[in-house]
Amino acid sequence: MPGTRESSRTGRRGLGWGFQEWGNPCVFLVFRLAAVFLALVVLLPATGCVRIPRERLEIRRYSLDAPTIPEPPDTEYPGAAARASVLPVRVLLSPFTADARQRGERMLFRAEENRLEYYYYHRWIASPERMIEDILDTEIAEWGICGNGLHRAEAGLIPTHEVLGRLTALYADNRKNAYAAVLEVALTVMRVDPLTMEKTIVFQKTYTVTEPRKNNRVDSFVQSANRAVERWLIEVRPDLDGVLRGNTGR
């Protein structure tokens, strides 16, 4: 039948048109670009080019502050005379060092007897051994005993004494019923021969201070740590006074 033959021929011609269009360069390019676009949509998140919103982590920082140390009782040089009693010494305060676990700005806490850990969201504003060194520098300067000066760097000057410190422990004790701030500092004083520059150790002592605190909160630890530093300074001052006076004959 003519109608049937024509219809069949038309169908073959329509089907043949579709296959021929795939061979058309323009159509092939369109499909190729579409495939590339889909691939980019899939790969971009994996390569980090697409920014995924994240929660911002806030790190809180804390400092050790120089306390105000009251004038110690002094029967030999009472009152203002004690402050006027300067010594012919030039003291070099060398940079404090720290044990490996204490280095840097991370804050330590003890959760168990034999385990120390670091807080993640809480840090010191600077390395604690440097802050303690600064506090001691302030205390000695206000003490006013170094008649020939207190120095933090050699700067071509020959000191009569050199003071070195090492922070061996500063951590929060978070064990139940043992809440405290623990501070341990080793102090060394050396006498320097002005002619030979030979150094002789004249004083060594390790100070350990445990300051109780109310709870296991970080702000409670910082407050107790500052009180521990104050107690340490109260112990250090008469020790240094005795060493420097003993080595100058006064």
Side-chain angles (χ1 to χ4, degrees), residues 26-197:
C26 294
V27 176
F28 178 80
L29 180 60
V30 170
F31 278 96
R32 187 68 176 270
L33 291 174
V36 172
F37 176 79
L38 290 174
L40 289 175
V41 170
V42 173
L43 292 175
L44 281 178
T47 59
C49 295
V50 174
R51 300 178 64 89
I52 300 176
R54 296 182 180 179
E55 181 182 358
R56 184 177 179 180
L57 302 179
E58 181 180 359
I59 303 296
R60 298 192 62 184
R61 295 187 177 272
Y62 307 85
S63 64
L64 293 171
D65 301 316
T68 301
I69 306 300
E71 283 290 317
D74 193 331
T75 56
E76 185 179 358
Y77 300 98
R83 295 189 61 83
S85 177
V86 297
L87 300 174
V89 295
R90 178 181 292 113
V91 176
L92 171 64
L93 182 61
S94 295
F96 274 32
T97 59
D99 283 3
R101 65 184 179 184
Q102 291 288 170
R103 293 171 191 162
E105 301 166 2
R106 303 185 70 180
M107 300 176 70
L108 279 165
F109 70 92
R110 183 183 295 282
E112 298 178 4
E113 179 64 30
N114 298 315
R115 193 181 76 204
L116 287 172
E117 299 179 3
Y118 292 106
Y119 287 108
Y120 186 81
Y121 297 101
H122 306 278
R123 311 281 174 87
W124 293 114
I125 197 170
S127 56
E129 74 273 10
R130 189 56 183 269
M131 289 190 288
I132 291 174
E133 176 198 334
D134 289 341
I135 290 172
L136 181 60
D137 175 76
T138 301
E139 171 63 13
I140 295 177
E142 292 181 353
W143 180 12
I145 195 173
C146 303
N148 292 335
L150 172 66
H151 305 275
R152 299 284 288 274
E154 294 185 9
L157 299 173
I158 300 176
T160 59
H161 297 79
E162 183 174 354
V163 178
L164 303 95
R166 184 173 184 83
L167 176 65
T168 55
L170 177 60
Y171 63 86
D173 195 336
N174 286 350
R175 294 174 299 170
K176 191 174 182 180
N177 300 323
Y179 299 145
V182 179
L183 171 69
E184 188 173 273
V185 180
L187 206 64
T188 300
V189 180
M190 296 187 294
R191 185 175 62 241
V192 183
D193 189 313
L195 299 178
T196 64
M197 293 297 293

